[in-house]
Amino acid sequence: MRLRRLAVSDLRRFRETFELVDLDPGLNLVTGPNESGKSTLVRALQAAFFERHSTTSVTDLRPRDDPGAMPEVALEFEHGGRRYRLTKRFLKKTMCHLEIDGESLEGQAAEERLRDLLGFSFPGKGASQPRHWGIPGLLWIIQGEGQELEQPIRHAREFLRESLGEGFDELAASRGDSLIRSIGSERSELLTKKGNPRGDLQKLEKELAAAREERDGLRERVARYCQSVDRLEQLRREWRRQEETPPWEAAEKKRDQAIRRLDQVEQQQKALAGRQKELESARGERQAIQASLERRRQERDRLADLERNIADLDRCLESTGQTVARLETALEDTRRRLAQAEARRDQVQDARRYVELEERIRDLQTGLQQDEKNLARAREQQKELARLERQLAEGAVDPARVQALEEAETRLSHLRIREESVATRIRYRLLDDRELRLGEETLTGEGETTLIESARLELPGIGELAIEPGGQDLASVAADLRQVQREHEDRLRELGVASLAEARRRLEERKDAENALELARRRLGDLAPRGIESLAADLEGRQSRLANLRTERERLPEPPKDLPPEAEVRETCEHLQTELERFRSRLSEAREERSARHAERERAVGDYQELQARLEDPESRRQAEAAESRSQALEKGIQELETAIREQAAAIDAAQPDILRQDIERFGATAENERKRQQERRGEIDRLEGELGAEGVAGLEEDLAETEARAERLERRHASLDLRAQALDRLLTRLEARRSAMVEQLQAPLRRRVEHYLRLLFPEAELRIDESFEPTQLIREGTADVNFEALSFGAREQVGVILRLAYADALKEAGRPTLIVLDDALVHADEARRQAMQRVLFDAASRHQLLMFTCHPANWRELGVPERPLPAVSP
Amino acid sequence: MPPVTLRLLHTADWQIGKQFGQFEREEAAFLADRRIETVAALGQLATERDADAVLVAGDVFDMQTVSTRTFHRLAEAMQTFAGPWVLLPGNHDAALGESVWQQWRRKVDLPENLHFALEPGVIDLPDAGLAVLCAPLTQRHVLNDLTAAFDTLETAPNRIRVGLAHGSVQGVMMEAAEAQNPIAPDRAQAARLDYLALGDWHGTLRIDERSWYSGTPEPDRFRDNAPGQVLEVEIEAAGATPRVTEHAVGHYRWVSRSFHLRVPEDLEALESAMADWDRRTVLRLELEGELDLAGHQRLARIREAIHARVHALRVKDEGLALLPSDADIADLHADGYVAEVIDELREEQAKDPVSREALKLLLRRLAAEQAEAGS
């Protein structure tokens, strides 16, 4: 749809005709300050479409205080290749005229044609309200309401569905929504949101659980009852059997038999014990007698032993005596041999000493001659040293002074060279016979001289020339030269020489003399390191030593020839010494042994005599014989007793008295147990009979059967209700899943358009739209998801505009007219957003005509369209 | 002097105390009560037929512990016949050390004409010229033939020998249960019995001319084997062939029917079958096949009608699928995703009962909304 012209007259502030013409198919920017009529133009556009020309409730269109006004709106627009012209007048002389490519419609027919074209509705009565505005209500943003979306979308929904095609139809026409509601409510009677049972189902589950519990309890009781019945029968059978042949009686009989048998055995045991005592005493007596006989036998043995011992000792004493004698002889012999060997050893030692002395005397004599020579040389050297020292002291030249002389000479020569270079040169070649006088000097022939100070050159016959040598330096050089020459002469005088060369020669001479002195000192040091006196003293000491040695040698005898080696002689002495010691100790041992044996023999003889006396006593002999005969009698008695005891013990063993005692105990206990068990049976039978006959068990199984029947019924009801709940749950899940899939599919085109614009405003953002096409959430990267209502006013308005543009795109695709009006919209956008929105609007204008009214033209300058300023307010 | 012809009523398997959980409470209560009322009817019949004795061949009680009230009511019901009742313990009410029989005696002062056969042996009824050879179960189950003892049991001279036993006659029923409490098929002959009154089998069954199962007088299960009867046995003299007459005394009829439903004619067949059923019918219906929406709605109405007609109804319809026709779906305006869900559930219903139920719920809801919209 393209609006070409909008004209108003007699309408609010436009008393005269005002028109917007040549409107651009894309963006149109109508600017003007507040109160300049922008909203009036929007209102006029609304009135032209939404208000019935015949309505009387549009008095707001009248200019102020003009009850007779006839507000009029005229529009020209194109859509679908057709040209529409609409003129509408309100309140007075009302009319509505619509021309479509020459077709002419009037009044209500015209209005309805427009309604169908744009998609809105008329009120039954009175002024048109937003809820009637349908699609234009969505696309035309009234001042300050850009952020409101819910209402406009709701009001347009019906028309949107009509316009946006089959998909919307399908969703609407389907029975799904009401089904989902009713099935959902049926489900919620049985299940919670999470699918847990509630209501009747929950109640039934509880009842069922209770019934099952009751049933299981009864089953257990019945089972116990059956067990008790079986037990009772078993007990009765056992009890009867026991009563018929009582087992305790048999056991008691066996016990009594065992008691009798044990009694007999105990009698036998007593008799046995008496015999055993008798045997024991016989054995004791026998043992005592045998012991006394044994003692006597031992004493005899000892007497024989003593006799043998004394004989042995006698033999031993004899042998020891021989040993002592032999050792005494050997000792004496060794002593003699030792004395001889020691004499021989002394002789050999003297001979060795003699030879040693001879050698040392020889050595000392040789040494003495050398020492005497050295002493003589040292004394010579000392004289030479004294001479050199004297010489050196005489020719003393100070090297530092020679150095100073050298420096003075050097400076003198330098100054002379300088004087030479600065002085005035006079070269002359005179005739042979002529001469000149220069100062005191007479010049002849050919030569050269220098002048360093003013001089007079007499030119004989002519006069004289005064020559002043040039330069200041010359005078000072001359002065320095004189100074240095004086210095030089002083130095020479000091040194006592005529020239520097002489001074140098004297210095060299001195150095040579010093060297010679050093050499002489060293030689003296070598010859007499501790001085000459010490050397002489050493010599004296040696001479006296030599004298001593000679005296000692004189005292020794002349050594004989062919003496054996000293080591051999000494070894022989040592060997003999050792031998001597050994014989001495052996001799002392042998003597000790001999006296010990002797003492031993004395004791043995004493013992022997005492023992012999005792054994030969007649009383003692008689006692021994009596004991012997008593012992034989006892032996016989003991053998008889032992046989008797063995036989009796075997008989008692065979009767097994321990086992008999155990039997008595065992049979007694058996009888008691059997009686006790029978009593217990009786007790349990009585108890069970009481229990089973009690009131509690009456009808137990009947109760169980009833409870089982009740549980079965509840199971059945529960299964049926549970099936219903599951079925409802499945139904709801399936329906909802299918429905959301379909909604998703239907909304896809619109979503694409929203995304297209949203990218320009919030890159990376996503706008969630619910199935009623209303925005719910804005999801931006890096920030939390925000519900649409919670967005700032500005953001909501921007999203609102975007969504409207998306709708416009969708409507345009469906071939519907789209005219977009923005009345002072987006005033809350900051600079960045406004930039973004300008791109959005510019992009939308390539598909739709946009009428934009603003009082801030500067904000929208970058839309790239000329402003259409409204005329200033007339006073 | 003994009467010319001995007349006995032979019954068994009263199963007093049995409960019926497969039915709703009220229905079940009637079924349980009726078992005692039928005993009264049976006693009434014995009195009317001037019977010499009533022989009950085991399972008088369904369990070993019943309520005192039940004891009293049964004793009262049995007052309808003043002649001798010979009651044999079966497997449900075996003569254990402590049993339902002792309890009954303890709780209720029983009249003299009630004879409990708690031990194997002969109960001699000289007035009737009758010797009853009893083989009571003294344990819940035995593996040997208790009636073997009959062969050597002596009875007083001039007595008609009648055996009374509870168990499975070997080689007749071909059931797993035969292994327990066996009875030789030729027992009557071997033990020189004039008649052998058997219990345990709940239908009337003739083993041979002298050996019969009377069956339970009041049916208690869906099994078409002639239950609900009592046998009148007439024996003219010892050795004579007994004459056996069946009397129907049962109140409720237990009926089980299967229907395959696919086309409207099938529903009509079900509807017309209703004529056979009444307030005494305990009905089990097994429904299978597949029905469209209309068929289903009609079936629902028929079911309500049947339920109203019979005493108790159990329906097993897991095998019945709901197959809405294309026309059904169009009628319901079930388009878009709702139609997709219907298709999905229709595919699944054979395998998944939840889906089957979901489909039913969905279609029912759609139909209901449709009806509301239409009205």
Side-chain angles (χ1 to χ4, degrees):
Chain A
M1 175 169 175
R2 178 185 173 185
L3 187 66
R4 284 193 172 273
R5 173 173 176 269
L6 165 63
V8 294
S9 60
D10 216 3
L11 199 146
R12 290 194 182 169
R13 69 158 291 237
F14 300 108
R15 286 175 188 276
E16 304 304 317
T17 300
F18 171 78
E19 58 177 12
L20 287 170
V21 289
D22 297 332
L23 286 165
D24 191 271
L27 259 172
N28 296 278
L29 189 62
V30 181
T31 63
N34 290 335
E35 306 283 313
S36 60
K38 300 187 299 294
S39 297
T40 301
L41 291 178
V42 176
R43 174 68 184 128
L45 210 52
Q46 287 178 338
F49 287 106
F50 302 153
E51 305 291 1
R52 297 239 187 230
H53 69 282
S54 54
T55 184
T56 53
S57 33
V58 291
T59 48
D60 67 300
L61 296 180
R62 269 200 296 248
R64 253 172 290 165
D65 311 326
D66 186 358
M70 297 183 286
E72 186 177 313
V73 189
L75 298 174
E76 282 181 41
F77 61 93
E78 290 165 12
H79 175 63
R82 308 181 81 180
R83 209 175 172 95
Y84 295 73
R85 256 175 223 279
L86 170 70
T87 314
K88 214 159 176 179
R89 191 183 304 137
F90 298 95
L91 299 173
K92 293 269 166 71
K93 295 187 185 165
T94 62
M95 57 89 85
C96 175
H97 178 76
L98 175 66
E99 256 183 58
I100 311 169
D101 280 352
E103 183 192 356
S104 203
L105 293 160
E106 293 296 335
Q108 207 165 323
E111 285 171 342
E112 273 154 21
R113 176 66 73 87
L114 288 173
R115 179 191 68 189
D116 295 345
L117 182 67
L118 267 75
F120 58 89
S121 56
F122 286 111
K125 213 173 150 187
S128 178
Q129 301 291 321
R131 66 192 150 90
H132 301 121
W133 295 349
I135 290 172
L138 181 62
L139 299 187
W140 299 355
I141 302 172
I142 304 168
Q143 193 169 12
E145 287 181 10
Q147 80 290 354
E148 280 301 329
L149 266 174
E150 196 186 335
Q151 292 298 329
I153 289 177
R154 196 156 295 163
H155 301 149
R157 183 166 301 142
E158 192 186 326
F159 305 102
L160 286 170
R161 282 182 174 156
E162 269 172 28
S163 309
L164 295 182
E166 288 168 24
F168 286 76
D169 251 8
E170 199 175 349
L171 192 61
S174 152
R175 308 279 304 275
D177 288 9
S178 71
L179 260 183
I180 286 174
R181 263 195 309 282
S182 61
I183 284 171
S185 89
E186 280 186 63
R187 179 191 173 281
S188 70
E189 283 169 18
L190 298 178
L191 294 174
T192 63
K193 258 203 184 103
K194 283 184 175 172
N196 295 322
R198 61 182 289 184
D200 284 353
L201 186 58
Q202 193 188 23
K203 211 173 107 201
L204 201 52
E205 278 195 359
K206 279 186 189 151
E207 275 178 47
L208 178 58
R212 280 175 181 159
E213 201 180 319
E214 193 182 334
R215 178 194 63 194
D216 294 347
L218 280 167
R219 275 180 184 166
E220 207 176 302
R221 281 182 63 197
V222 167
R224 276 204 305 274
Y225 173 79
C226 290
Q227 278 170 8
S228 296
V229 168
D230 292 348
R231 174 84 185 135
L232 178 62
E233 260 196 288
Q234 190 198 344
L235 284 167
R236 279 176 177 161
R237 255 198 321 275
E238 284 174 8
W239 190 83
R240 272 197 303 274
R241 209 171 52 229
Q242 299 291 71
E243 285 294 309
E244 277 159 21
T245 49
W248 54 87
E249 283 176 7
E252 278 163 359
K253 205 165 155 192
K254 282 182 186 167
R255 184 196 59 190
D256 294 348
Q257 278 172 2
I259 289 171
R260 277 195 300 281
R261 181 86 190 89
L262 184 64
D263 200 37
Q264 289 167 4
V265 172
E266 277 169 355
Q267 292 301 323
Q268 285 177 341
Q269 279 175 330
K270 255 178 223 165
L272 179 64
R275 280 197 182 122
Q276 272 169 340
K277 219 174 216 173
E278 210 177 317
L279 175 63
E280 241 164 71
S281 96
R283 277 177 179 157
E285 194 183 347
R286 182 183 64 177
Q287 200 178 0
I289 289 167
Q290 279 177 347
S292 94
L293 286 173
E294 180 64 26
R295 261 196 313 281
R296 198 172 168 80
R297 247 191 317 278
Q298 280 171 358
E299 279 172 350
R300 281 194 181 287
D301 289 351
R302 182 156 156 66
L303 193 66
D305 282 350
L306 280 171
E307 206 170 353
R308 263 194 310 279
N309 197 10
I310 290 164
D312 284 351
L313 282 170
D314 286 343
R315 269 193 305 281
C316 197
L317 271 173
E318 192 183 2
S319 142
T320 313
Q322 284 164 4
T323 305
V324 168
R326 200 177 61 242
L327 281 172
E328 277 167 351
T329 317
L331 184 64
E332 198 48 42
D333 183 44
T334 307
R335 204 174 274 153
R336 207 178 49 246
R337 274 166 56 205
L338 179 59
Q340 286 168 3
E342 277 171 348
R344 187 97 176 141
R345 183 189 62 193
D346 292 348
Q347 199 178 15
V348 170
Q349 278 175 349
D350 284 351
R352 178 172 51 81
R353 180 68 186 154
Y354 189 92
V355 174
E356 270 175 20
L357 284 172
E358 289 255 281
E359 268 172 29
R360 280 178 64 189
I361 288 164
R362 226 175 11 254
D363 285 354
L364 267 175
Q365 277 173 338
T366 321
L368 263 178
Q369 282 161 12
Q370 183 67 37
D371 283 356
E372 275 162 5
K373 243 185 265 169
N374 282 355
L375 185 61
R377 268 168 52 198
R379 287 209 170 112
E380 259 169 56
Q381 207 65 40
Q382 199 173 24
K383 269 185 214 141
E384 174 69 6
L385 199 60
R387 190 189 58 79
L388 282 169
E389 275 168 354
R390 241 186 347 269
Q391 187 188 346
L392 200 59
E394 279 162 15
V397 177
D398 187 353
R401 287 198 173 153
V402 176
Q403 180 74 25
L405 177 65
E406 253 174 55
E407 279 167 14
E409 188 135 335
T410 308
R411 260 157 56 206
L412 192 63
S413 103
H414 283 165
L415 282 168
R416 284 209 177 108
I417 291 164
R418 209 164 150 211
E419 185 197 50
E420 192 80 4
S421 66
V422 176
T424 300
R425 276 166 217 281
I426 298 170
R427 280 190 201 101
Y428 54 90
R429 192 161 71 228
L430 301 180
L431 297 176
D432 286 344
D433 48 353
R434 311 285 180 141
E435 58 177 33
L436 285 175
R437 285 195 60 90
L438 181 62
E440 307 298 311
E441 196 180 356
T442 305
L443 306 178
T444 60
E446 191 176 336
E448 190 184 286
T449 187
T450 52
L451 276 183
I452 56 170
E453 56 198 337
S454 51
R456 272 173 199 286
L457 185 62
E458 282 173 35
L459 301 174
I462 300 169
E464 64 179 20
L465 289 173
I467 300 171
E468 293 290 334
Q472 295 166 314
D473 278 351
L474 196 54
S476 77
V477 167
D480 287 350
L481 195 57
R482 273 191 303 276
Q483 169 76 25
V484 171
Q485 267 171 345
R486 263 194 309 275
E487 221 174 284
H488 184 244
E489 282 156 18
D490 290 348
R491 295 285 173 257
L492 286 175
R493 226 175 4 259
E494 274 169 18
L495 285 164
V497 293
S499 68
L500 177 62
E502 193 189 343
R504 278 177 181 155
R505 189 178 44 77
R506 299 241 312 253
L507 200 59
E508 285 303 311
E509 281 169 6
R510 181 186 144 95
K511 270 183 193 156
D512 288 346
E514 278 170 357
N515 287 343
L517 183 65
E518 182 60 32
L519 192 63
R521 274 189 192 131
R522 209 175 297 149
R523 271 189 205 130
L524 184 60
D526 285 347
L527 290 169
R530 288 190 309 278
I532 290 173
E533 283 73 23
S534 155
L535 199 59
D538 284 356
L539 190 61
E540 252 170 63
R542 272 182 195 156
Q543 280 166 342
S544 86
R545 255 197 329 274
L546 182 59
N548 290 344
L549 288 174
R550 277 185 180 137
T551 319
E552 191 183 345
R553 186 189 60 184
E554 241 110 273
R555 280 203 302 270
L556 286 174
E558 190 88 359
K561 301 275 182 252
D562 300 333
L563 281 173
E566 190 186 342
E568 191 184 302
V569 177
R570 197 179 290 134
E571 204 180 316
T572 308
C573 285
E574 281 164 12
H575 172 72
L576 286 170
Q577 192 76 45
T578 316
E579 197 84 328
L580 188 69
E581 286 307 312
R582 200 158 57 82
F583 281 129
R584 263 187 203 136
S585 89
R586 277 175 61 189
L587 181 59
S588 118
E589 278 169 22
R591 282 177 179 151
E592 268 170 34
E593 194 185 344
R594 190 179 55 186
S595 55
R597 293 275 178 247
H598 198 261
E600 204 177 324
R601 187 181 178 279
E602 292 300 304
R603 275 198 309 278
V605 168
D607 287 355
Y608 179 82
Q609 288 165 348
E610 190 201 356
L611 196 56
Q612 197 180 31
R614 194 148 24 101
L615 284 172
E616 294 305 316
D617 181 49
E619 174 59 25
S620 145
R621 275 183 181 209
R622 201 188 45 77
Q623 277 177 4
E625 277 160 19
E628 195 67 45
S629 70
R630 174 69 184 147
S631 167
Q632 278 165 13
L634 279 171
E635 192 62 38
K636 198 176 164 231
I638 284 168
Q639 273 175 11
E640 281 165 8
L641 270 172
E642 277 175 350
T643 311
I645 285 169
R646 222 172 12 251
E647 279 165 5
Q648 201 159 24
I652 290 168
D653 256 13
Q656 288 181 304
D658 288 352
I659 302 295
L660 283 175
R661 266 179 222 107
Q662 285 176 10
D663 282 354
I664 292 165
E665 194 183 331
R666 187 160 56 87
F667 289 127
T670 305
E672 197 179 329
N673 283 343
E674 290 293 346
R675 276 183 197 284
K676 203 168 145 204
R677 261 171 59 195
Q678 187 70 343
Q679 276 167 14
E680 281 168 2
R681 268 184 211 111
R682 186 70 253 166
E684 201 179 345
I685 287 167
D686 291 347
R687 183 176 63 74
L688 282 172
E689 280 175 346
E691 257 177 43
L692 294 175
E695 283 301 315
V697 299
L700 188 59
E701 279 169 288
E702 202 173 334
D703 286 351
L704 172 61
E706 273 168 19
T707 312
E708 276 173 337
R710 185 151 55 84
E712 191 180 340
R713 277 175 211 121
L714 283 168
E715 297 271 10
R716 210 160 52 232
R717 276 181 58 203
H718 177 261
S720 142
L721 201 58
D722 188 50
L723 180 65
R724 180 181 162 83
Q726 285 185 53
L728 284 168
D729 188 52
R730 178 169 296 178
L731 213 46
L732 189 64
T733 312
R734 297 269 175 91
L735 285 169
E736 281 176 343
R738 292 267 178 192
R739 186 178 192 283
S740 352
M742 178 167 287
V743 167
E744 191 74 19
Q745 190 191 341
L746 291 179
Q747 289 183 342
L750 188 64
R751 278 178 201 285
R752 274 198 299 280
R753 296 318 302 163
V754 170
E755 275 166 30
H756 168 79
Y757 289 117
L758 196 64
R759 261 203 308 279
L760 297 175
L761 182 60
F762 301 122
E764 310 290 325
E766 187 195 335
L767 184 65
R768 290 262 165 88
I769 299 169
D770 73 6
E771 62 180 66
S772 310
F773 306 108
E774 286 168 24
T776 56
Q777 275 191 322
L778 184 64
I779 298 166
R780 275 175 288 188
E781 206 159 296
T783 61
D785 301 351
V786 182
N787 284 341
F788 181 71
E789 299 78 39
L791 286 171
S792 73
F793 186 91
R796 264 191 292 156
E797 190 182 25
Q798 290 143 24
V799 173
V801 168
I802 277 177
L803 207 62
R804 285 169 161 99
L805 295 175
Y807 273 117
D809 287 356
L811 286 164
K812 173 122 181 165
E813 273 172 35
R816 305 293 302 187
T818 56
L819 171 65
I820 295 161
V821 176
L822 294 145
D823 182 8
D824 250 346
L826 301 169
V827 290
H828 297 279
D830 62 25
E831 183 56 29
R833 294 278 174 80
R834 200 162 49 240
Q835 291 288 342
M837 286 309 293
Q838 288 187 31
R839 295 167 78 180
V840 166
L841 293 174
F842 192 83
D843 178 69
S846 66
R847 287 180 288 280
H848 311 283
Q849 191 177 38
L850 261 76
L851 296 188
M852 204 165 159
F853 298 90
T854 179
C855 56
H856 302 292
N859 285 349
W860 304 101
R861 209 152 275 152
E862 287 176 16
L863 277 174
V865 293
E867 291 176 37
R868 288 172 187 272
L870 289 178
V873 183
S874 51
Chain B
M1 284 297 290
V4 178
T5 297
L6 177 72
R7 195 185 306 274
L8 300 173
L9 279 196
H10 168 199
T11 179
D13 298 295
W14 292 355
Q15 315 285 153
I16 301 300
K18 185 166 184 165
Q19 302 293 323
F20 300 89
Q22 69 266 50
F23 300 107
E24 293 312 306
R25 226 170 84 95
E26 206 176 324
E27 299 166 352
F30 275 105
L31 294 177
D33 286 352
R34 186 67 221 178
R35 302 194 76 73
I36 292 177
E37 285 160 29
T38 297
V39 170
L42 194 150
Q44 192 68 44
L45 179 69
T47 304
E48 279 166 17
R49 299 295 303 157
D50 193 19
D52 294 299
V54 178
L55 305 186
V56 191
D59 283 358
V60 171
F61 295 100
D62 194 50
M63 55 196 59
Q64 287 284 6
T65 45
V66 296
S67 66
T68 309
R69 179 171 171 271
T70 305
F71 280 141
H72 277 288
R73 290 186 57 203
L74 182 60
E76 194 190 323
M78 291 169 79
Q79 285 173 13
T80 46
F81 176 61
W85 297 76
V86 180
L87 302 163
L88 182 81
N91 55 319
H92 281 262
D93 50 4
L96 306 173
E98 169 69 20
S99 70
V100 68
W101 302 101
Q102 287 147 317
Q103 291 172 40
W104 199 11
R105 273 201 203 290
R106 275 204 296 269
K107 305 280 181 193
V108 185
D109 291 330
L110 294 174
E112 294 287 313
N113 63 333
L114 264 54
H115 301 271
F116 293 176
L118 301 187
E119 281 164 18
V122 179
I123 291 181
D124 194 33
L125 300 171
D127 290 351
L130 171 66
V132 185
L133 289 72
C134 303
L137 281 162
T138 53
Q139 293 163 48
R140 291 177 191 91
H141 301 292
V142 295
L143 297 175
N144 58 326
D145 183 354
L146 298 174
T147 61
F150 293 174
D151 295 1
T152 54
L153 269 184
E154 289 306 321
T155 49
N158 301 322
R159 293 282 193 274
I160 288 176
R161 278 165 72 92
V162 173
L164 185 59
H166 185 89
S168 304
V169 172
Q170 298 296 286
V172 175
M173 261 112 35
M174 305 296 286
E175 294 212 351
E178 272 197 10
Q180 289 176 340
N181 313 329
I183 294 169
D186 59 350
R187 182 60 63 207
Q189 197 193 345
R192 306 175 316 280
L193 300 177
D194 293 300
Y195 182 76
L196 175 56
L198 294 167
D200 196 23
W201 182 249
H202 283 214
T204 304
L205 184 67
R206 176 185 186 272
I207 302 300
D208 58 34
E209 57 183 13
R210 293 181 190 278
S211 307
W212 287 73
Y213 281 103
S214 65
T216 180
E218 183 60 43
D220 60 351
R221 59 186 77 167
F222 294 108
R223 196 145 184 190
D224 201 10
N225 57 6
Q229 305 196 100
V230 61
L231 300 179
E232 179 185 352
V233 182
E234 292 164 279
I235 304 168
E236 285 178 6
T241 306
R243 192 164 69 243
V244 177
T245 315
E246 298 171 18
H247 293 278
V249 289
H251 181 80
Y252 291 109
R253 249 185 347 127
W254 290 54
V255 179
S256 178
R257 292 286 305 271
S258 288
F259 287 89
H260 191 92
L261 304 175
R262 186 183 290 279
V263 292
E265 288 75 24
D266 297 334
L267 288 165
E268 278 159 25
L270 174 61
E271 230 170 352
S272 56
M274 277 167 69
D276 294 342
W277 307 325
D278 55 20
R279 293 296 304 149
R280 292 179 164 206
T281 306
V282 173
L283 181 62
R284 177 170 67 186
L285 279 180
E286 277 181 43
L287 304 178
E288 50 179 29
E290 49 201 39
L291 287 177
D292 62 9
L293 207 51
H296 233 272
Q297 284 162 351
R298 190 169 162 204
L299 174 63
R301 282 195 299 280
I302 294 172
R303 278 175 65 164
E304 279 162 16
I306 293 172
H307 200 186
R309 195 177 173 84
V310 300
H311 174 69
L313 174 65
R314 298 289 304 134
V315 180
K316 201 165 149 17
D317 63 354
E318 288 77 14
L320 184 64
L322 175 55
L323 271 189
S325 64
D326 292 345
D328 285 341
I329 291 179
D331 284 351
L332 293 173
H333 295 287
D335 48 6
Y337 65 87
V338 177
E340 288 171 12
V341 172
I342 291 174
D343 279 349
E344 204 172 74
L345 295 172
R346 199 155 52 172
E347 289 293 311
E348 293 170 2
Q349 66 170 332
K351 280 179 289 180
D352 189 344
V354 176
S355 290
R356 202 169 69 91
E357 181 71 12
L359 180 63
K360 271 203 264 181
L361 282 170
L362 178 57
L363 292 178
R364 208 175 289 158
R365 170 106 316 249
L366 281 170
E369 282 184 8
Q370 189 67 15
E372 274 171 37
S375 65

